[in-house]
C-alpha cells in the first residue's frame, strides 16, 4: 500500500492509472459533466484497431487499420477495413473515408493530389494505386484502379470516378489520364483504359457510363503503332449482357446481348 498521488492535475481532466498507486490527469482527455473531449492527433474506438496517421479516426468495429501517410482520414466501423498508401507509388492518401463493411481497402497514393476517396460499405471493395476523388458506394469486389504508372510521376492520376454498387465492377486506368467514368451497378462491368508496348500519351477514356447488366465493357486501347490521339469518351451502355464499345466517341448501346461498337477513335489531340 501507499499514498495515491495525481500528477498533472487540472480541472476536468480524466485520471488514469500509471501502475501501483500512481494516477495521471490526462492532458488530452477531458469531461466536464456534459461533453467528453479527446484532444489527440488520432482516435480509435472499438477492438484491435491500428491508427498510425495523425488527425485520423476509427469510430467503431473490429481490426480496422489506418496506416501511415493517410492523414485526415476516417473509418466509421466494420471489420478489417484498411486505409493506406500504395506500396508501389508511395505518396500520400489523405482525406479519405471508409464507412463500414468488411475488408474494404483504400490504398491510393498521388504525389501532387491528396486522396479524397470514399468507400461507403460493402465487402472487399478497392480503390488503389494512383486514384483521386473517387467513390464506391457498396457491393462486393468492385475496384477503381489507377495502375498507370509511367504518367503517374507527371501528375497523371485516375480521378472523379464512381461505382455505385453491384459485384465485380471495375474502372481501370493503365495510363493515368482517365476521369469522370460511372458504373451504377450490375455484375462484371468494366470501363478500362489499356496500354500497349508503345504507350500513347494522349489516350483518353473519359465521361463514360454503364448503367447495369453484366459483363458489359467500354474499353480504350492504343493501336500497335502507338499513334497519339485515340479517345473513348461520352459513351453509354444502359444494360444488357456482353455489350462492348471500343475506341469510339459518343456512342450508345441501350441493352440486348453481345452488341459491339468498334472504331479507331476520334483524333482528339492529334499527333
Amino acid at each position: 500500500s501507499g499514498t495515491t498521488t495525481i500528477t498533472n492535475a487540472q480541472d476536468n481532466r480524466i485520471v488514469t492509472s500509471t501502475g501501483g498507486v500512481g494516477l495521471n490527469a490526462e492532458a488530452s482527455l477531458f469531461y466536464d459533466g456534459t461533453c467528453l473531449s479527446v484532444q489527440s492527433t488520432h482516435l480509435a474506438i472499438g477492438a484491435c484497431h491500428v491508427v498510425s496517421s495523425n488527425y485520423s479516426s476509427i469510430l467503431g468495429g473490429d481490426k480496422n487499420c489506418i496506416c501511415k501517410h493517410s492523414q485526415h482520414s476516417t473509418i466509421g466501423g466494420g471489420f478489417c477495413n484498411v486505409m493506406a498508401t500504395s506500396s508501389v507509388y508511395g505518396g500520400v492518401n489523405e482525406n479519405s473515408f471508409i464507412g463500414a463493411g468488411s475488408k474494404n481497402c483504400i490504398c491510393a497514393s498521388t504525389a501532387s493530389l491528396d486522396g479524397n476517396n470514399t468507400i461507403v460499405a460493402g465487402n472487399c471493395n478497392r480503390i488503389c494505386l494512383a486514384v483521386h476523388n473517387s467513390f464506391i458506394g457498396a457491393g462486393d469486389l468492385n475496384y477503381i484502379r489507377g495502375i498507370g504508372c509511367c504518367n503517374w510521376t507527371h501528375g497523371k492520376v485516375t480521378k472523379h470516378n464512381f461505382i455505385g454498387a453491384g459485384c465485380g465492377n471495375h474502372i481501370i486506368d493503365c495510363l493515368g489520364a482517365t476521369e469522370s467514368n460511372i458504373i451504377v451497378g450490375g455484375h462484371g462491368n468494366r470501363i478500362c483504359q489499356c496500354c500497349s508496348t508503345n504507350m500513347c500519351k494522349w489516350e483518353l477514356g473519359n465521361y463514360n457510363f454503364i448503367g447495369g447488366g453484366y459483363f458489359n465493357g467500354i474499353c480504350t486501347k492504343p493501336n500497335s503503332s502507338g499513334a497519339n490521339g485515340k479517345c473513348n469518351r461520352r459513351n453509354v451502355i444502359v444494360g444488357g449482357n456482353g455489350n462492348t464499345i471500343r475506341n469510339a466517341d459518343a456512342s450508345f448501346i441501350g441493352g440486348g446481348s453481345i452488341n459491339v461498337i468498334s472504331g479507331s477513335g476520334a483524333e482528339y489531340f492529334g499527333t
Side-chain angles (χ1 to χ4, degrees), residues 38-60:
V38 181
Q39 300 176 4
S40 176
T41 58
H42 55 263
L43 173 67
I45 301 173
C48 302
H49 300 312
V50 175
V51 181
S52 300
S53 284
N54 289 338
Y55 314 110
S56 295
S57 300
I58 298 175
L59 304 180

Side-chain angles (χ1 to χ4, degrees), residues 78-180:
F79 173 72
C80 285
N81 298 302
V82 176
M83 196 90 67
T85 57
S86 165
S87 60
V88 177
Y89 298 133
V92 296
N93 175 38
E94 296 184 342
N95 306 322
S96 294
F97 175 83
I98 297 176
S102 172
K103 300 179 183 178
N104 298 303
C105 180
I106 298 177
C107 296
S109 304
T110 67
S112 57
L113 298 169
D114 53 15
N116 291 333
N117 296 299
T118 298
I119 298 175
V120 177
N123 177 56
C124 294
N125 298 303
R126 300 284 187 271
I127 297 177
C128 53
L129 302 179
V131 182
H132 168 71
N133 200 32
S134 293
F135 178 96
I136 296 175
D140 299 322
L141 299 169
N142 298 304
Y143 291 177
I144 298 175
R145 294 187 288 178
I147 297 173
C149 35
C150 70
N151 285 330
W152 177 84
T153 55
H154 305 295
K156 298 291 185 181
V157 299
T158 302
K159 56 188 178 181
H160 313 317
N161 295 298
F162 176 96
I163 296 177
C167 178
N169 298 306
H170 293 183
I171 296 175
I172 301 172
D173 178 6
C174 292
L175 291 176
T178 68
E179 63 178 275
S180 304

Side-chain angles (χ1 to χ4, degrees), residues 193-216:
Q193 175 169 263
C194 304
C195 63
S196 67
T197 303
N198 298 307
M199 243 179 232
C200 195
K201 185 176 181 181
W202 297 117
E203 295 293 331
L204 291 178
N206 300 340
Y207 318 118
N208 296 297
F209 175 93
I210 297 177
Y214 58 101
F215 300 123
N216 298 304

Side-chain angles (χ1 to χ4, degrees), residues 59-72:
L59 304 180
D62 180 31
K63 295 183 176 65
N64 297 304
C65 179
I66 299 178
C67 300
K68 291 182 178 179
H69 309 300
S70 298
Q71 290 89 341
H72 312 114

